[in-house]
Amino acid sequence: MEKAYINLIYLVSSILFIIGLKLLSHPKTAVRGNFTGALGMFLAVVGVFFEYGTINQNDIIIIGSAILVGTAIGTFIALKVEMTGMPQLVALLNGLGGLASFLVGGNSLMEILQPGHDTAQLADYQFTISTAATGIIGAVTLTGSLVAFGKLQGLISEKAVRYFGDQIVKVLFFIGSLYLGYLNVIEPTKIEWYWYIVLVASILGVLLVIPIGGADMPVVIALLNSYSGLAASATGFVLGNNVLIISGSLVGASGILLTQIMCKAMNRSLPNVLFGGLGAATSSADTGDIYTGKTKSTSAEEVAMLLDMAQRVVIVPGYGMAVAQAQHAVRELYNQLTDKNIEVEFAIHPVAGRMPGHMNVLLAEADIPYDKMKEMDEINPTFNTVDVVIINGANDVVNPLAKTDPGSPIAGMPILDVDKAKTIIVIKRSLSPGFAGVPNPLFIQENCLMYFQDGKKATQEIVTALKDT
């Protein structure tokens, strides 16, 4: 196929990626956005096959089989992975993107070094520098994402793993990977330099993510997503493939922007994230000393009476709601309250859950109207007019210690100002701390009632009690 037609396919593919990203910005158009992006990727794959070889019957069979296998795997994952497992899946897919990038970079270098192959490309600094960048970023993305996956899946400790001099060790490995990249550029005929890059960068990826606690995983996932895009873009320069450069740049740029948003939501700096200084939980005081004799328990019937007298109710979803798969029960509660002409809104903290937008996705899955989901900055000034706040499985994002304790791991993190509401209902299995590992003084506030129960069951009990009021 002529180069002009291939470039046209790549152009259409790139446009579809951009449109897909735009559509993904709103739940009502997100499904179309997914399909649009998938179509763009399909066209990009087709364009690659046309660009790098003559398509014959055997090629069609191979390409078709690969597409069918990939579609089957993707469909299986989409049907089997629960919403609570979506952050882990995103982390794993980020890692696979990094793996594909550095394997393609290494294969391109090895192909050029084959006997009889034109090695003139090795004198091109764009190729050699891009190859080194692919190895570094791809390997960091792979191992960093695997560590994030392990933390989210519970395979390794979610706590921040710190040790004396850890920052110095990370800097040394970073400098080492850059030096090996330099050697790869000036001596590209020695393929071992490339695989040394991958090895050192792989260790660096582990060292960067292992010190980060589970509470900060939304930031990490956004950052690793950006890394995977940058690795893909570097691979595009290695292959001279425009659509890979464009798509990788889109992912890289959007990931960095999302990381900055997450950092702002957690009052962290980007350098702090890059050097893995997040989530180092300090040893907290004995929760028994803080809570004993000071919490007030409630029941579904009491909550129903409070809700029946309310005019404005705000529901704060958290990871506990996701684990309990309570979003559909929450929708029933929303329906019942709105049928009684009670205003109901949902307060969404930017880092609630395990990945950016986690709570929005869960609520949208349960058909909660998107205009009822209020971001933190929008709803915080209005909490003093709220009659009842129902906190379903959230903890750190409503913890007043972020404002009152400078020594807390969450110090300075913007929180939802639920303490200003008239009555606070906290649905929680126990008084165990959140991922930050610190107690929550909100639970002993005079206007706070604790409903110790699974998020789904508690909500269902409240719905039943409301029917009898």
Side-chain angles (χ1 to χ4, degrees):
M1 181 180 287
E2 292 184 14
K3 187 69 176 179
Y5 290 112
I6 294 172
N7 285 333
L8 179 60
I9 292 175
Y10 287 161
L11 177 62
V12 173
S13 176
S14 300
I15 292 172
L16 289 174
F17 288 147
I18 295 170
I19 294 173
L21 280 174
K22 175 63 177 176
L23 294 174
L24 284 171
S25 64
H26 197 286
K28 290 183 179 180
T29 58
V31 174
R32 274 189 288 145
N34 268 326
F35 279 115
T36 303
L39 177 59
M41 181 58 69
F42 175 79
L43 290 177
V45 171
V46 170
V48 167
F49 279 110
F50 278 119
E51 181 177 3
Y52 290 97
T54 303
I55 304 297
N56 54 40
Q57 186 174 357
N58 289 335
D59 291 331
I60 293 174
I61 294 174
I62 293 172
I63 295 169
S65 299
I67 291 173
L68 287 174
V69 171
T71 301
I73 294 173
T75 302
F76 176 80
I77 291 173
L79 294 174
K80 289 295 182 181
V81 175
E82 297 178 352
M83 287 304 301
T84 50
M86 199 56 64
Q88 295 94 300
L89 178 61
V90 172
L92 189 58
L93 292 176
N94 286 338
L96 292 177
L99 174 65
S101 294
F102 79 68
L103 286 179
V104 170
N107 179 74
S108 298
L109 191 58
M110 292 171 64
E111 186 179 17
I112 291 174
L113 294 175
Q114 292 297 315
H117 199 285
D118 184 10
T119 58
Q121 196 172 4
L122 296 179
D124 182 0
Y125 280 128
Q126 175 180 300
F127 175 80
T128 53
I129 293 174
S130 298
T131 303
T134 298
I136 295 172
I137 304 173
V140 167
T141 304
L142 171 63
T143 55
S145 297
L146 290 177
V147 173
F149 171 81
K151 283 177 175 282
L152 292 168
Q153 192 66 23
L155 301 177
I156 58 178
S157 174
E158 294 171 338
K159 295 181 179 179
V161 179
R162 306 299 300 272
Y163 53 90
F164 179 75
D166 59 342
Q167 300 288 15
I168 295 175
V169 172
K170 282 179 282 190
V171 170
L172 289 175
F173 269 91
F174 177 65
I175 294 173
S177 64
L178 290 180
Y179 179 68
L180 289 169
Y182 167 74
L183 293 178
N184 182 75
V185 171
I186 64 173
E187 295 183 296
T189 56
K190 292 185 177 181
I191 188 65
E192 58 266 27
W193 290 132
Y194 182 81
W195 299 115
Y196 290 153
I197 290 172
V198 170
L199 176 61
V200 173
S202 296
I203 298 172
L204 177 61
V206 175
L207 295 175
L208 285 172
V209 180
I210 203 74
I212 302 176
D216 297 318
M217 279 301 117
V219 184
V220 178
I221 289 176
L223 186 60
L224 289 170
N225 181 251
S226 178
Y227 285 173
S228 69
L230 294 175
S233 186
T235 307
F237 282 104
V238 171
L239 299 175
N241 187 289
N242 292 331
V243 73
L244 198 53
I245 295 171
I246 294 171
S247 59
S249 298
L250 287 171
V251 174
S254 60
I256 286 292
L257 289 173
L258 190 56
T259 301
Q260 290 180 322
I261 293 171
M262 294 295 104
C263 287
K264 182 181 177 182
M266 299 192 72
N267 195 36
R268 309 283 190 180
S269 66
L270 186 56
N272 189 241
V273 178
L274 292 172
F275 288 97
L278 301 183
T282 58
S283 57
S284 58
D286 182 5
T287 56
D289 294 337
I290 295 175
Y291 296 132
T292 301
K294 299 178 183 178
T295 59
K296 298 183 288 293
S297 297
T298 188
S299 63
E301 290 72 23
E302 184 178 2
V303 174
M305 287 189 342
L306 288 169
L307 292 174
D308 196 51
M309 293 184 291
Q311 291 183 321
R312 186 178 179 217
V313 174
V314 171
I315 299 174
V316 179
Y319 186 64
M321 186 195 79
V323 172
Q325 299 184 34
Q327 61 268 29
H328 294 287
V330 169
R331 169 69 192 201
E332 289 184 57
L333 177 60
Y334 168 82
N335 288 342
Q336 276 208 329
L337 293 174
T338 52
D339 287 345
K340 291 176 178 285
N341 294 319
I342 298 171
E343 182 185 0
V344 183
E345 294 174 321
F346 295 81
I348 311 295
H349 193 283
V351 295
R354 294 295 179 273
M355 69 177 183
H358 197 180
M359 296 300 104
N360 303 70
V361 172
L362 283 173
L363 296 174
E365 181 192 22
D367 294 325
I368 300 294
Y370 191 71
D371 61 349
K372 295 298 181 181
M373 303 181 205
K374 305 297 181 181
E375 298 298 328
M376 178 177 62
D377 292 340
E378 180 183 0
I379 202 166
N380 261 354
T382 69
F383 270 114
N384 58 350
T385 65
V386 176
D387 296 304
V388 179
V389 167
I390 301 177
I391 301 171
N392 198 324
N395 196 330
D396 293 331
V397 298
V398 295
N399 193 332
L401 284 181
K403 295 182 177 180
T404 60
D405 184 2
S408 169
I410 59 173
M413 183 180 85
I415 61 169
L416 292 165
D417 296 330
V418 296
D419 56 316
K420 296 178 181 178
K422 294 177 184 176
T423 304
I424 305 162
I425 309 295
V426 179
I427 299 175
K428 204 173 183 298
R429 289 176 179 269
S430 67
L431 289 170
S432 60
F435 276 124
V438 292
N440 193 338
L442 179 74
F443 301 162
I444 59 174
Q445 235 179 239
E446 187 62 32
N447 60 338
C448 183
L449 299 172
M450 302 296 298
Y451 192 166
F452 294 110
Q453 184 59 273
D454 169 86
K456 182 178 181 180
K457 188 174 181 181
T459 307
Q460 290 173 334
E461 290 174 351
I462 294 171
V463 168
T464 301
L466 266 174
K467 292 177 181 177
D468 298 329
T469 58

